[in-house]
Amino acid sequence: MGDGKDSAGRDEGGKAVRRAVLFELEHVAVGGRQIKFDLLKAALKTQRVDLSEALFSRYCLHRVPKEGLKALLKSTGKSGFAEVWERYAAGLVEAFSSPRLKLEPVCEMILKTSRKLNARLGALSSLDAATTETLARQLDLGAHGVVLHLISQEDTRTYSGDHWLHLARKVDTLPRKCLTICTQSDSCRAAIAARLRCVGLPDIYTSFEDFGGADYVGESLTAAVFENLLTGGDE
């Protein structure tokens, strides 16, 4: 991916201002949460578990996937973890490697506006390394200079301040000059705790969550609002 170098805006006095936009790769660039829901719903049918939006939101958003699945199966009195996990994990690789995946319109806007303002770009992924690279290549994120950072498959945290800070360091930008795009509350809280600014873009599975402290929360995001938010960190 790109190295994020040579990108800076200018403040009113003409002084260089380095900004960066950091986002959740599979939940912002593509409709990854819906993909995960559909895959898990299909995998759980082998155990006669009908996955609802409520169950998914309760057990599968704020735990790493394996732990979330174990908790979900326990709550329904079912076993068969190994079989369900094998189906689900294989489905993730196939789905997120598909050449049919296209950038979400909001992500296209974020990339275009960020480049216009010479902001650096970074994406945080919870997918495995090979799948992350394939997805980034399919979406041509390299052409936008997007720097990738992977959450370790051994990490028990879905999103943490450390994850966002590692990505900020990779794009060589001070945390307070970074604007994160988050789709769930723990991701937002982690970014804010690490002193990064945050835009909350909840979906149908996270719309009930508390994004308190975010600079903006909404189901949609226009280019004008986004540009305002990005340049608003220059004071």
Side-chain angles (χ1 to χ4, degrees):
M1 281 307 108
D3 61 8
K5 304 299 184 184
D6 299 325
S7 55
R10 299 279 168 179
D11 64 16
E12 292 181 356
K15 184 180 178 181
V17 177
R18 182 180 298 162
R19 312 183 192 97
V21 176
L22 314 178
F23 58 92
E24 300 168 11
L25 176 65
E26 69 270 29
H27 300 145
V28 175
V30 293
R33 189 162 285 114
Q34 187 62 49
I35 291 172
K36 292 177 180 180
F37 175 83
D38 292 340
L39 288 171
L40 190 56
K41 186 177 180 70
L44 283 166
K45 285 183 178 179
T46 62
Q47 302 304 313
R48 302 183 184 224
V49 174
D50 184 17
L51 182 65
S52 65
E53 292 178 5
L55 278 175
F56 183 74
S57 294
R58 181 175 182 182
Y59 293 104
C60 304
L61 295 185
H62 307 297
R63 295 178 173 93
V64 293
K66 283 187 177 180
E67 295 307 312
L69 177 56
K70 288 176 182 177
L72 192 157
L73 286 170
K74 183 178 180 180
S75 75
T76 58
K78 301 289 185 178
S79 56
F81 167 78
E83 181 182 358
V84 175
W85 176 254
E86 183 178 356
R87 285 173 177 263
Y88 178 61
L92 284 177
V93 173
E94 181 179 0
F96 284 105
S97 300
S98 172
R100 295 190 298 273
L101 284 179
K102 304 298 180 187
L103 275 173
E104 289 287 300
V106 69
C107 191
E108 284 189 288
M109 179 277 293
I110 288 169
L111 296 178
K112 181 178 178 181
T113 305
S114 298
R115 293 189 72 186
K116 182 182 80 170
L117 296 172
N118 294 316
R120 300 180 178 190
L121 287 157
L124 190 59
S125 173
S126 61
L127 301 171
D128 66 79
T131 306
T132 295
E133 289 290 346
T134 300
L135 176 59
R137 186 170 59 252
Q138 299 284 13
L139 300 177
D140 200 23
L141 295 184
H144 297 277
V146 177
V147 176
L148 300 174
H149 180 68
L150 276 64
I151 297 173
S152 170
Q153 298 293 294
E154 303 305 315
D155 202 326
T156 58
R157 301 164 297 179
T158 49
Y159 293 101
S160 75
D162 288 341
H163 298 146
W164 288 118
L165 286 173
H166 278 305
L167 186 53
R169 283 195 287 270
K170 277 193 170 184
V171 297
D172 195 21
T173 305
L174 292 172
R176 69 176 183 273
K177 298 298 183 182
C178 294
L179 183 66
T180 59
I181 314 296
C182 303
T183 65
Q184 60 188 69
S185 61
D186 55 348
S187 178
C188 175
R189 287 196 303 270
I192 292 170
R195 300 184 182 279
L196 285 74
R197 299 168 62 232
C198 180
V199 169
L201 291 181
D203 55 38
I204 61 172
Y205 301 102
T206 62
S207 59
F208 65 92
E209 295 186 340
D210 181 5
F211 286 79
D215 294 76
Y216 172 89
V217 182
E219 294 180 358
S220 61
L221 181 64
T222 66
V225 169
F226 175 68
E227 183 168 339
N228 231 11
L229 289 163
L230 182 54
T231 57
D234 291 346
E235 294 87 351

